[in-house]
Amino acid sequence: MIQRILPRKAAGRPRARARRASRILLAVTAMGALLGLDLPQAGAASPLGVTEGAPADAEAGRVGALFAGGLDGGHFCTASVVRSLGHDLIATAAHCLDHPDTTVFAPGYRDGAAPYGLWRLTRVYAAPGWTDGKDPDADIAFAKVVPAGAGETRAVEDVVGAFPVAAAQPADVTVTVLGYPSVLDAPLRCSNATSLFSPTQRRIDCPDLSGGTSGSPWLAGGALAGVLGGYLAGGDVPEVSYSAVVGDAAMALYCEAAGVAR
């Protein structure tokens, strides 16, 4: 049974090939030891604004697809492993976790296989702005995960590593987006500069980020600086994506979920 931190309103699960890719910006203060570990090596640089297949490297291994029940249930969102004291935390869009009891995470998912196993959710953290009113500025959530099957005794961060969480970023920060469109069985990757769409929402121009990329991480210098979601659940066309600009509520949420003092 999932232990919910805040009351959550029920909503229809996003359907594969139907729900728009979602995204949310997360910016929190640097957390000492959480930010002091090694980062994965970035892949070869690609032209800005070009979306292509992500290589099967350490960076992509920390990003995975969210499935409804198992690999045969269809993947509908994207999530990534972030640093925490328990080594057991993932970040995604809040609207991706409306049905946490039947959601499983497959880091490094590719071509129908889950090389690092499946992980089930045990505890969900979402801000009151989302749980009480589906505020797009609060479309971010964290969840603790444990192995879904027998045999694995390590925490997910000890298996694939984890992204540190970035501090506040400038309006034009360049980020790399990694996400799983529901029509593909491998992640896509795109880097580009961002801009402020409004004081509370950020945007990026990257083609082909369609349904299923909800919750995809925005990585700035190898650290999590966003999660795709927010305005229009991340956007109404695949070429333009949005992300909520994090405020105090999102910072506090990460600190609570990660088990660190703010």
Side-chain angles (χ1 to χ4, degrees), residues 35-202:
L35 302 183
L37 304 179
D38 60 303
L39 298 175
Q41 294 298 313
S46 300
L48 295 181
V50 173
T51 300
E52 55 191 7
D57 56 13
E59 184 179 64
R62 299 177 182 187
V63 181
L66 294 179
F67 285 82
L71 295 185
D72 59 351
H75 59 91
F76 57 87
C77 276
T78 302
S80 59
V81 183
V82 292
R83 288 180 182 167
S84 68
L85 291 185
H87 291 197
D88 57 356
L89 197 65
I90 63 172
T92 188
H95 75 257
C96 290
L97 298 182
D98 286 328
H99 298 274
D101 294 282
T102 55
T103 296
V104 293
F105 173 59
Y109 174 74
R110 192 174 294 261
D111 299 328
Y116 305 112
L118 295 179
W119 302 76
R120 62 181 179 85
L121 282 57
T122 62
R123 193 170 184 179
V124 169
Y125 298 78
W130 180 260
T131 57
D132 295 343
K134 307 298 185 193
D135 182 356
D137 292 343
D139 188 13
I140 184 167
F142 300 92
K144 291 183 178 294
V145 298
V146 297
E152 181 59 74
T153 59
R154 296 170 295 172
V156 66
E157 182 176 339
D158 297 327
V159 175
V160 301
F163 297 116
V165 176
Q169 299 294 312
D172 61 350
V173 63
T174 295
V175 304
T176 296
V177 180
L178 284 167
Y180 287 83
S182 58
V183 296
L184 299 178
D185 279 336
L188 295 180
R189 184 179 191 272
C190 179
S191 299
N192 210 351
T194 65
S195 62
L196 287 179
F197 174 70
S198 74
T200 58
Q201 295 287 330
R202 189 184 298 267

Side-chain angles (χ1 to χ4, degrees), residues 207-230:
D208 302 321
L209 296 181
S210 57
T213 56
S214 297
S216 299
W218 289 20
L219 301 173
L224 186 78
V227 188
L228 301 184

